[in-house]
């Protein structure tokens, strides 16, 4: 566990060339080259998963005030966070334009034009865009930003309530697969009514535990029911000739995915990147002396080409600096596997491999099996990252039947799990009495379990946490 996580996180973003937060607008930062690559590979994964049965689109950034204000609950939830464009050059605009805080009110008026008949359904679109939220809580790079630069938002419309509920399940599976590929563990819960997305029937959320014990919501899936359909008049003619409102869902992830890759896997030496998103999956470090320099370099190039042919991302660090410094740098940057080759290794026809998660040096023979052996090490590394992260999570969810215990559990860096009857009043009392947040319903309670507040029969196990 990283001691002072907040400071560590801040430093690593700069040292590993992820983002630069010195841009002169609070809550807005620059993606630097190394971070941009991680972001790019992360997006490739989610896009690949969505592209199986969603289509990517791109909507304008600006939303007319009239549309944004149409859905009462929605605007109430967002009005304090909206940035407005009021002028075009020196002229006042006739209608204020919002920088989208999210795109329901940009997309749904168009759905109303596009959807006519049941044959137009389902419609499953997504876009990856920047959105703007004037966050009033403490901003933090990648975690709580005012320009969310990597907002993947999906919006679907369906003919029936059942299909709509199925879509929520499908999104849950997609997000699981996505996070699994990044070796990130998650807790899935149904948000309580008072923390449901503005305008939605219910919200399913993915949370992670950061090393400091605070939870971060890294993805949400909202069942919008028919509320937006009624506001934006999104109807279709059904098979029976009747005109009906569609049922809708939306789902989003953001820059927080990159924050969780960094936070969940990092250690005191720096990043530990999951192979799928690491800009370099293998870094070759030549140990160069005057004698035999060319032979070593040409062997490095040969190995690089062989690994690249197998679809791996490889770099050679041939900078004119001490090898020790190179090791240090690539540990900081979280390259999954390093291969070291010096003149003596060349004589012995070997390379020394080192996984980022283990200090052990492994001799690999430079033969036809090299590519397979390297892939095997990457696979073991990925599995170890995943297992370590999942065990950290399960060790940090602690069940209690005592309301007075909740604070101790959470202050020791954990999440508390408690029995809850499901009544809003009891849920809010938990928050008031403890000062922490009810994340949501994690699962059904066991038989005969009693609510931690009222003592009545408990329906659910709820998670309580300190949140980002
Ligand atoms: C929706 N509409 O908007 P959501 N900085 C970084 N990440 C953030 C921030 C922020 N300030 N605010 C939210 N997120 C729906 C679904 C279209 C898509 C991340 O939902 O408001 C959080 O991880 O819940 C959140 O789960 C996700 O964006 C979607 O935002």
């Amino acid at each position: 566990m990283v001691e002072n996580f907040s400071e560590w996180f801040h430093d690593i973003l700069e040292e590993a060339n992820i983002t630069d937060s010195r841009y002169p607008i609070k809550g807005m930062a620059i993606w630097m080259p190394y971070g941009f690559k991680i972001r790019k590979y992360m997006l490739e994964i989610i896009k690949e998963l969505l592209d199986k049965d969603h289509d990517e689109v791109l909507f304008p950034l600006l939303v007319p005030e009239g549309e944004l204000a149409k859905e009462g609950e929605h605007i109430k939830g967002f009005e304090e966070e909206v940035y407005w464009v009021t002028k075009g050059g020196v002229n006042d605009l006739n209608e204020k334009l919002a920088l989208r805080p999210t795109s329901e009110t940009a997309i749904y008026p168009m759905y109303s034009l596009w959807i006519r008949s049941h044959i137009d359904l389902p419609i499953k679109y997504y876009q990856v865009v920047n959105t703007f939220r004037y966050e009033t809580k403490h901003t933090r790079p990648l975690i709580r930003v005012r320009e969310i630069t990597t907002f993947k938002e999906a919006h679907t419309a369906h003919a029936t309530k059942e299909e709509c509920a199925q879509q929520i399940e499908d999104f849950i599976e997609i997000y699981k697969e996505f996070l699994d590929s990044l070796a990130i563990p998650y807790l899935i819960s149904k948000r309580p009514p008072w923390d449901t997305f503005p305008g939605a029937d219910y919200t399913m959320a993915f949370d992670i535990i950061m090393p400091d014990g605070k939870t971060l919501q890294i993805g949400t899936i909202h069942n919008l029911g028919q509320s937006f359909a009624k506001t934006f008049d999104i109807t279709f003619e059904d098979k029976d000739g009747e005109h009906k409102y569609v049922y809708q869902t939306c789902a989003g992830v953001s820059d927080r995915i990159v924050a969780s890759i960094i936070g969940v896997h990092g250690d005191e030496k720096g990043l530990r990147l999951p192979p799928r998103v690491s800009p370099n999956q293998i870094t070759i470090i030549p140990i160069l002396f005057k004698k035999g320099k060319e032979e070593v370099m040409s062997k490095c190039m040969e190995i690089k080409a062989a690994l690249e042919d197998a679809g791996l991302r490889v770099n050679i660090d041939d900078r004119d600096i001490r090898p020790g410094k190179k090791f240090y740098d690539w540990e900081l940057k979280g390259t999954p596997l390093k291969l070291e080759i010096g003149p003596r290794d060349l004589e012995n026809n070997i390379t020394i491999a080192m996984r980022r998660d283990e200090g052990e040096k492994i001799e690999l023979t430079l033969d036809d099996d090299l590519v397979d052996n390297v892939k095997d090490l990457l696979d073991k590394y990925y599995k170890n990252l995943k297992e370590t992260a999942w065990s950290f999570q399960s060790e940090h969810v602690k069940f209690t039947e005592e309301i007075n215990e909740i604070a101790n559990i959470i202050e020791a860096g954990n999440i508390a799990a408690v029995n809850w009857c499901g009544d809003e009043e009891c849920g809010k009392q938990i928050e008031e009495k403890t000062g922490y947040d009810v994340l949501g319903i994690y699962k059904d309670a066991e038989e005969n379990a009693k609510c931690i507040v009222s003592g009545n029969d408990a329906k659910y196990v709820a998670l309580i946490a300190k949140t980002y």
Side-chain angles (χ1 to χ4, degrees), residues 74 78 81 101-104 108 131 133 135 140 142-155 175 191 197-198 203-206 216-222 224 249-257:
H74 189 67
F78 278 107
E81 293 183 9
T102 169
S103 304
E104 283 72 11
Y108 301 165
T131 57
R133 295 185 180 181
E135 295 277 0
R140 278 171 208 276
L142 303 180
I143 290 179
R144 175 163 281 119
V145 286
R146 287 183 171 172
E147 177 181 11
I148 310 175
T149 61
T150 318
F151 197 66
K152 187 291 296 164
E153 52 177 328
H155 296 267
Y175 283 180
R191 287 281 184 260
F197 183 67
T203 290
M204 300 300 298
F206 281 67
L216 180 66
Q217 171 183 296
I218 55 166
T220 30
I221 303 164
H222 312 289
L224 303 176
T249 79
C250 64
V253 295
S254 76
D255 313 53
R256 285 186 185 176
I257 299 292

Side-chain angles (χ1 to χ4, degrees), residues 13 16-20 29-44 47 128 142 149-150 255 258 261-262 271 273 276-280 313 333:
L13 292 180
N17 200 225
I18 308 276
T19 57
D20 191 328
I30 297 104
W31 279 101
M32 298 300 286
Y34 199 70
F36 194 83
K37 287 194 184 101
I38 298 172
R39 174 185 181 270
K40 178 179 85 167
Y41 294 123
M42 180 277 283
L43 281 174
E44 277 178 14
K47 285 189 175 192
V128 181
L142 303 180
T149 61
T150 318
D255 313 53
V258 176
I261 294 170
I262 297 170
L271 303 176
L273 293 175
R276 290 284 301 270
V277 294
S278 190
N280 311 298
R313 293 191 288 269
K333 288 200 162 172

Side-chain angles (χ1 to χ4, degrees), residues 1 4 20 74 77 86 102 135 141 169 200 215 244 258 260 273 340 368 370 380 393 421:
M1 161 129 171
N4 183 344
D20 191 328
H74 189 67
T86 57
T102 169
E135 295 277 0
E169 298 308 312
T215 61
K244 297 174 182 169
V258 176
S260 47
L273 293 175
E340 173 194 318
D368 291 346
L370 181 71
K380 286 188 174 132
Q393 178 177 288
C421 60

Side-chain angles (χ1 to χ4, degrees), residues 351-364:
T351 172
I352 310 292
M354 230 167 104
R355 273 163 52 179
R356 173 60 179 83
D357 58 333
E358 289 184 346
E360 201 188 333
K361 296 191 167 190
I362 305 155
E363 278 189 15
L364 297 180

Side-chain angles (χ1 to χ4, degrees), residues 92-157:
D92 288 335
L93 297 178
N94 290 337
E95 183 177 18
K96 282 203 289 181
L97 303 172
L99 299 189
R100 62 184 160 219
T102 169
S103 304
E104 283 72 11
T105 57
I107 295 176
Y108 301 165
M110 300 310 293
Y111 274 12
S112 158
L113 299 177
W114 295 334
I115 300 168
R116 287 273 156 264
S117 143
H118 62 91
I119 54 166
D120 300 325
L121 296 171
I123 193 164
K124 300 185 186 189
Y125 288 169
Y126 79 91
Q127 61 177 3
V128 181
V129 293
N130 50 352
T131 57
F132 294 82
R133 295 185 180 181
Y134 185 73
E135 295 277 0
T136 45
K137 268 173 112 175
H138 183 60
T139 59
R140 278 171 208 276
L142 303 180
I143 290 179
R144 175 163 281 119
V145 286
R146 287 183 171 172
E147 177 181 11
I148 310 175
T149 61
T150 318
F151 197 66
K152 187 291 296 164
E153 52 177 328
H155 296 267
T156 72

